[in-house]
Amino acid sequence: MDSILQVRHLTKRFGGLTAVSRLDFDVRPGEILGVIGPNGAGKSTTFNLIAGAYGADEGEIRFAGRDILGLPPHEIAARGVMRTFQHNRPFPGMPVIDNVLVGAHTKFRTGLWGLVTNLGGSEEQQARNRARDLVGFVGLSEARDADVATLSFGQGRLLEIARALAGEPRLILFDEPAAGLTPAELERLAEIIRGIAARGIAVLLIEHDMRFLLPLAQRVVVLNFGAKIAEGPPEAVRASPDVMQAYLGDAAAV
């Protein structure tokens, strides 16, 4: 199967520090690819390069066969690359359903204002129907019309996922989605991520919780000091001496 995302020789420097160094990897449609590494390994920088938050010093990022490196974030999102963040970012003062609709605004002619003020006619209704489906998919149906301020932290994380899905992505970047969740919430999150991949959407996942990531990912890329030191199935990566050396004191978590 052809890759939906191709990263080649990607390099990013901040002054004298090389945060990402000649990084190569691919992601296929419907695949869950984990990206792991010690603190400062370059994981978040890699995500920010793919999402357009940073420009690269060298390399290439191709999505669906087209070069996206250097495009602004909103254009990359419109092409089908969505992301979640380490910290929930709801739009305050709006109900859950309207927060999800925000994620769909790049797909509709009426724009964001038309969607949330019911000015889009059939287009707006189509978006709302899809938003309701996504709210149900992540398990927030009972809170659909509630103000986002009433959501728990775990529910807020589910809202972030529904909003990302509203943009009809072909690739979702998950930045440490398991952080701060209870065991029951982690189980639900894993189920949702598998469901996303089952829809043919590629998943690129940064995560520190190896007990969560390794049973979930089909392949894993390991970074250390900005460079890739291992790539492969989770069990093979877990047994790699280079990976164990990189983690050292954190080896028990791997």
Side-chain angles (χ1 to χ4, degrees):
M1 183 182 296
D2 293 337
S3 302
I4 187 72
L5 180 74
Q6 298 172 321
V7 174
R8 296 289 181 269
H9 309 303
L10 191 62
T11 300
K12 176 63 178 177
R13 303 181 186 92
F14 296 100
L17 172 67
T18 300
V20 177
S21 178
R22 299 188 61 79
L23 178 60
D24 293 339
F25 66 86
D26 292 358
V27 188
R28 296 183 287 270
E31 180 180 31
I32 302 172
L33 178 68
V35 179
I36 67 173
N39 290 334
K43 304 183 297 296
S44 291
T45 300
T46 298
F47 264 37
N48 284 323
L49 289 166
I50 295 170
Y54 295 159
D57 293 296
E58 300 172 19
E60 181 179 49
I61 302 174
R62 299 187 69 83
F63 177 71
R66 301 176 66 181
D67 185 12
I68 63 170
L69 190 60
L71 294 180
H74 70 274
E75 288 192 22
I76 293 174
R79 294 189 183 201
V81 180
M82 303 297 288
R83 71 175 297 179
T84 67
F85 294 87
Q86 294 181 22
H87 306 288
N88 297 338
R89 296 185 175 187
F91 289 86
M94 295 169 59
V96 167
I97 190 73
D98 286 351
N99 264 263
V100 174
L101 278 169
V102 170
H105 76 279
T106 61
K107 299 297 181 181
F108 292 89
R109 293 187 303 274
T110 56
L112 176 60
W113 180 249
L115 289 176
V116 301
T117 56
N118 302 322
L119 297 178
S122 62
E123 187 176 47
E124 184 272 337
Q125 189 58 52
Q126 180 184 2
R128 283 192 172 272
N129 289 341
R130 175 167 169 76
R132 289 190 187 97
D133 290 342
L134 293 173
V135 167
F137 173 70
V138 301
L140 290 177
S141 291
E142 293 184 1
R144 183 180 68 194
D145 298 317
D147 190 291
V148 291
T150 67
L151 298 183
S152 68
F153 178 83
Q155 288 175 317
R157 185 60 47 84
L158 299 179
L159 171 61
E160 290 277 320
I161 296 172
R163 191 167 60 200
L165 288 170
E168 301 180 17
R170 300 174 68 185
L171 168 69
I172 296 186
L173 312 176
F174 283 96
D175 194 351
E176 296 189 30
L181 299 187
T182 68
E185 290 169 339
L186 288 174
E187 185 175 341
R188 175 61 180 151
L189 176 62
E191 179 183 339
I192 290 170
I193 292 175
R194 290 190 181 100
I196 290 170
R199 296 182 176 198
I201 301 169
V203 173
L204 188 56
L205 174 65
I206 288 176
E207 187 51 64
H208 279 293
D209 186 344
M210 296 299 99
R211 294 176 182 85
F212 174 78
L213 183 141
L214 293 179
L216 185 61
Q218 293 148 330
R219 286 190 302 126
V220 177
V221 169
V222 187
L223 305 182
N224 194 30
F225 295 110
K228 183 173 71 175
I229 61 170
E231 179 179 358
E235 289 308 313
V237 165
R238 189 176 195 166
S240 165
D242 289 339
V243 174
M244 298 300 290
Q245 178 65 30
Y247 273 90
L248 289 177
D250 295 327
V254 180

